[in-house]
């Protein structure tokens, strides 16, 4: 199977080339030319497998130039060996008679980014070897919180890689900052940047295009790479958990093979819900794909009207990982729904960069209507939903997950659709203690890491081990740079 650029179908690459390069030369996203179909008995076969075995089975169908035994090694490293706090890795929890919650935050950083970022380093380093790259990859990340920590933990002590994370000095939560500054590993670096997330991100983009720096580092045996969510190596591991969830529901006899289930996904960059779309196309009986947004409702409008328009106010919300106005992975959906019409995709993307807006064809519009439903919810509704889920189901959820539960409720009361639905839970509530505590009625909040214990006491749910351990960990990184001096920091680290 080959991978092609969403902006040029003639730009064809093997899986390992697609993963090694990350982005296509023309700025498009590398995407499978054909999607593999699950065989007639694939779901039965996977039903009794472990999560790691299911991951090998699914990824094998996409990665021609990797053997199953290579993939077994990676899945064991990524999801085995106590890295996740439950053997199921991505457990499905019953909420009520027809609602299930797929918990994707049992990994080392308590956020769903672990599902992909525990796997990507293995796929990436193997792809580099397969393509005769001998230099060490230096992964540069600008983060507003979750991605940075998950990438550090994923790349920590992985051979032939260094990772350097830049975060905005005043733009991440206290817990997120502590998670990054205490990061262990011999190949990691963390540094804050004076300014906001945009300053950090613009700075990192400038490093990627700094030719003098590139040459200097090439001389020292390094090249820059990215752990960005548009790399195919991040999308693929996400397809696995949708298939796995369906198999779990079959195994527990909640559904019969062939029964439809809807999925409801809290969405930002469109990577997670895109993976659900791919699982559906492969043959998993998924009904509606319900796209949930916070007050930044650009995707809600797009899915309801066919017009994507980023010209709108940006809001900071209590679900910050969904505060996004340009959802990059949508480009892959447009490629699929246009019948792989690269010229059409190119036109939309040009319009987006020039005017911030595009309108899809009636043909795409009608496909979107059949596949998706969409809704949004503001912070007040989000908090109410956290409170309601706690009171009614004794289930503690984080603000991102709450957005999805709220949107599902809206969808059900509007449509009457009672199809069993999997709500995707993307972060541990302990990553957002302050907002979660307030939402369950506690207003006198503890300071620093004591707030973790406060939430545990109030809820009776134990603090996840990786967060509880933060208190004992020494601070390893405390540097701050001005955004014009980020290159110096890179040179210092890669001496
Ligand atoms: C990244 C993230 C999301 C959004 O996922 P996308 O794949 O970007 O749509 C939602 N919730 C949390 C907690 C996240 O970290």
């Amino acid at each position: 199977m080959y991978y092609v650029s969403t902006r040029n179908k003639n730009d064809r690459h093997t899986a390992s080339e697609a993963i090694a390069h990350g982005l296509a030369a023309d700025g498009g996203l590398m995407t499978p030319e054909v999607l593999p179909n699950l065989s007639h008995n694939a779901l039965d076969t996977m039903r009794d497998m472990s999560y790691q075995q299911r991951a090998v089975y699914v990824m094998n169908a996409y990665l021609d130039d990797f053997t199953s035994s290579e993939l077994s090694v990676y899945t064991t490293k990524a999801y085995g060996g106590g890295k996740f706090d439950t053997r199921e890795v991505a457990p499905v929890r019953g909420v009520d008679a027809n609602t299930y919650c797929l918990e994707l935050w049992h990994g080392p950083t308590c956020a769903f980014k672990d599902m992909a970022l525990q796997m990507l380093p293995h796929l990436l380093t193997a792809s580099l070897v397969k393509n005769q790259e001998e230099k060490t990859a230096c992964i540069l990340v600008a983060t507003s919180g979750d991605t940075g920590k998950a990438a550090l933990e994923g790349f920590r002590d992985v051979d032939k890689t260094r990772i350097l994370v830049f975060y905005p000095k005043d733009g991440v939560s206290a817990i997120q900052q502590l998670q990054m500054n205490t990061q262990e590993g011999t190949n990691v670096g963390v540094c804050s940047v004076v300014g906001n997330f945009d300053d950090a991100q613009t700075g990192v983009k400038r490093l990627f295009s700094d030719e003098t720096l590139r040459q200097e580092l090439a001389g020292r045996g390094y090249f820059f790479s990215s752990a960005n969510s548009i790399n195919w190596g991040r999308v693929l591991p996400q397809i696995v958990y949708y298939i796995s969830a369906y198999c779990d529901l079959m195994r527990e006899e909640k559904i019969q093979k062939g029964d439809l289930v809807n999925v409801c996904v809290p969405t930002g960059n469109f990577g997670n819900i895109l993976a659900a779309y791919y699982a559906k196309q492969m043959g998993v009986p998924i009904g509606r794909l319900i796209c949930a947004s916070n007050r930044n409702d650009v995707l809600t409008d797009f899915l309801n009207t066919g017009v994507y328009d980023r010209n709108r106010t940006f809001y900071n919300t209590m679900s910050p990982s969904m505060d996004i106005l340009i959802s990059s992975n949508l480009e892959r959906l447009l490629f699929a729904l246009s019948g792989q019409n690269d010229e059409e995709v190119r036109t939309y993307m040009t319009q987006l960069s020039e005017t911030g807006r595009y309108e899809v064809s009636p043909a795409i519009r009608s496909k979107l209507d059949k596949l998706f439903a969409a809704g949004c919810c503001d912070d007040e509704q989000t908090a109410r939903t956290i409170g309601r889920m706690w009171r009614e189901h004794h289930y503690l959820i984080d603000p991102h997950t709450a957005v999805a539960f709220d949107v599902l409720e809206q969808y059900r009361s509007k449509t009457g659709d009672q199809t069993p639905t999997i709500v995707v839970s993307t972060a541990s509530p302990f990553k957002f203690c302050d907002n979660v505590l307030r939402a369950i009625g506690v207003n006198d909040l503890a300071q620093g890491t004591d707030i973790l214990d406060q939430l545990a006491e109030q809820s009776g749910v134990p603090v996840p081990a990786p967060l509880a351990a933060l208190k004992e960990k020494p601070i390893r990184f405390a540097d701050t740079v001005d955004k014009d001096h980020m290159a110096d920091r890179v040179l210092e680290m890669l001496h």
Side-chain angles (χ1 to χ4, degrees):
M1 183 206 292
Y2 284 89
Y3 288 75
V4 294
S5 165
T6 47
R7 299 186 196 179
N8 176 8
K9 272 192 295 195
N10 298 322
D11 185 17
R12 293 170 92 229
H13 294 275
T14 63
S16 67
E17 284 169 354
I19 293 169
H21 298 169
L23 200 67
D26 57 13
L29 310 191
M30 301 306 297
T31 300
E33 206 171 30
V34 283
L35 290 180
N37 277 319
L38 289 177
S39 67
H40 181 64
N41 57 359
L43 292 172
D44 296 310
T45 308
M46 280 187 275
R47 207 184 74 142
D48 298 312
M49 288 183 175
S50 66
Y51 189 86
Q52 290 86 321
Q53 290 167 324
R54 289 170 182 167
V56 173
Y57 191 102
V58 174
M59 294 201 306
N60 203 23
Y62 281 91
L63 302 174
D64 287 350
D65 43 355
F66 291 77
T67 65
S68 346
S69 59
E70 284 175 303
L71 295 176
S72 284
V73 173
Y74 312 154
T75 54
T76 305
K77 284 188 184 162
Y79 303 122
K83 287 228 161 151
F84 281 68
D85 68 11
T86 161
R87 233 191 44 220
E88 297 157 282
V89 180
V92 180
R93 171 184 167 127
V95 177
D96 62 30
N98 62 353
T99 312
Y100 303 93
C101 194
L102 172 59
E103 295 182 344
L104 299 178
W105 41 262
H106 289 273
T109 79
C110 306
F112 108 96
K113 302 284 190 293
D114 288 331
M115 300 303 301
L117 281 166
Q118 282 296 310
M119 178 57 65
L120 176 69
H122 305 295
L123 294 174
L124 181 65
T125 49
S127 295
L128 296 174
V129 172
K130 287 179 199 291
N131 290 286
Q132 276 96 47
E133 176 60 66
E134 276 161 10
K135 294 194 197 70
T136 293
C138 176
I139 316 290
L140 293 181
V141 183
T143 183
S144 55
D146 279 356
T147 305
K149 177 62 186 178
L152 284 163
E153 201 51 49
F155 280 94
R156 137 187 195 185
D157 294 330
V158 171
D159 275 354
K160 303 285 281 177
T161 70
R162 305 294 296 267
I163 174 163
L164 188 49
V165 169
F166 292 99
Y167 69 86
K169 188 167 187 318
D170 302 308
V172 302
S173 78
I175 298 275
Q176 286 175 324
Q177 181 169 359
L178 195 59
Q179 277 189 299
M180 291 189 274
N181 286 348
T182 56
Q183 176 65 45
E184 291 160 355
T186 54
N187 63 337
V188 302
V190 174
C191 187
S192 62
V193 180
V194 181
N196 59 22
F197 174 60
D198 260 349
D199 295 316
Q201 178 148 46
T202 311
V204 165
K205 282 190 182 150
R206 216 166 38 209
L207 295 177
F208 273 112
S209 57
D210 183 336
E211 189 55 28
T212 321
L213 182 66
R214 199 188 65 76
Q215 282 181 12
E216 170 62 29
L217 291 180
R220 300 186 192 180
Y222 293 101
F223 72 100
F224 284 142
S225 184
S226 150
N228 204 290
S229 78
I230 53 191
N231 191 311
W232 180 251
R234 271 189 69 178
V235 178
L236 178 56
Q238 301 186 168
I239 299 174
V240 176
Y241 50 72
Y242 287 102
I243 300 176
S244 175
Y246 194 88
C247 291
D248 280 350
L249 291 177
M250 278 169 52
R251 185 161 66 185
E252 286 158 31
E253 300 183 348
K254 305 284 192 205
I255 56 171
Q256 301 285 316
K257 182 175 154 193
D259 289 353
L260 283 183
V261 296
N262 293 343
V263 298
C264 183
V265 188
T267 303
N269 215 10
F270 211 77
N272 200 350
I273 195 165
L274 178 78
Y277 165 79
Y278 286 138
K280 178 176 163 73
Q281 295 315 108
M282 289 173 75
V284 182
I286 292 174
R288 261 307 138 186
L289 301 159
I290 305 168
C291 177
S293 301
N294 62 25
R295 195 174 174 203
N296 295 294
D297 56 358
V298 61
L299 284 168
T300 314
D301 287 349
F302 171 67
L303 292 170
N304 289 331
T305 66
V307 176
Y308 195 95
D309 191 351
R310 64 151 300 179
N311 304 302
R312 60 181 70 213
T313 311
F314 174 89
Y315 298 104
N316 286 303
T317 73
M318 66 164 83
S319 45
S321 298
M322 296 156 71
D323 292 344
I324 278 179
L325 291 182
I326 296 193
S327 301
S328 336
N329 262 305
L330 192 57
E331 184 169 342
R332 287 190 166 109
L333 183 72
L334 296 175
F335 184 66
L337 299 189
S338 65
Q340 304 202 335
N341 186 335
D342 49 5
E343 198 182 316
E344 188 176 340
V345 174
R346 225 162 41 228
T347 307
Y348 297 145
M349 292 304 122
T350 307
Q351 290 172 347
L352 180 64
S353 74
E354 286 172 1
T355 68
R357 181 186 187 279
Y358 60 87
E359 176 164 10
V360 293
S361 68
I364 293 188
R365 177 85 203 278
S366 96
K367 287 182 190 166
L368 289 173
D369 286 346
K370 291 201 184 76
L371 290 162
F372 289 89
C376 58
C377 118
D378 64 16
D379 276 356
E380 207 175 303
Q381 283 165 281
T382 306
R384 260 206 306 272
T385 303
I386 295 172
R388 178 174 66 79
M389 292 299 292
W390 176 243
R391 284 190 312 276
E392 292 177 7
H393 302 286
H394 211 71
Y395 190 28
L396 197 64
I397 56 173
D398 97 290
H400 302 78
T401 309
V403 168
F405 272 104
D406 186 86
V407 168
L408 173 62
E409 175 114 330
Q410 295 177 40
Y411 168 79
R412 282 179 168 162
S413 57
K414 199 166 65 192
T415 62
D417 183 353
Q418 289 300 320
T419 308
T421 300
I422 298 172
V423 175
V424 177
S425 178
T426 49
S428 160
F430 284 88
K431 286 200 85 166
F432 302 93
C433 292
D434 47 354
N435 282 316
V436 172
L437 277 162
R438 278 191 214 102
I440 64 171
V442 181
N443 287 306
D444 191 8
L445 303 183
Q447 295 297 304
T449 50
D450 289 345
I451 201 167
L452 292 164
D453 299 321
Q454 188 182 21
L455 183 57
E457 274 158 34
Q458 288 289 332
S459 65
V461 179
V463 182
L467 298 180
L470 286 176
K471 287 183 189 174
E472 270 80 58
K473 293 216 166 131
I475 302 281
R476 295 188 61 205
F477 304 101
D479 290 359
T480 300
V481 286
D482 193 82
K483 68 174 188 289
D484 298 322
H485 291 96
M486 289 163 68
D488 302 340
R489 190 68 193 83
V490 175
L491 287 167
E492 222 171 272
M493 173 166 169
L494 305 177
H495 49 71

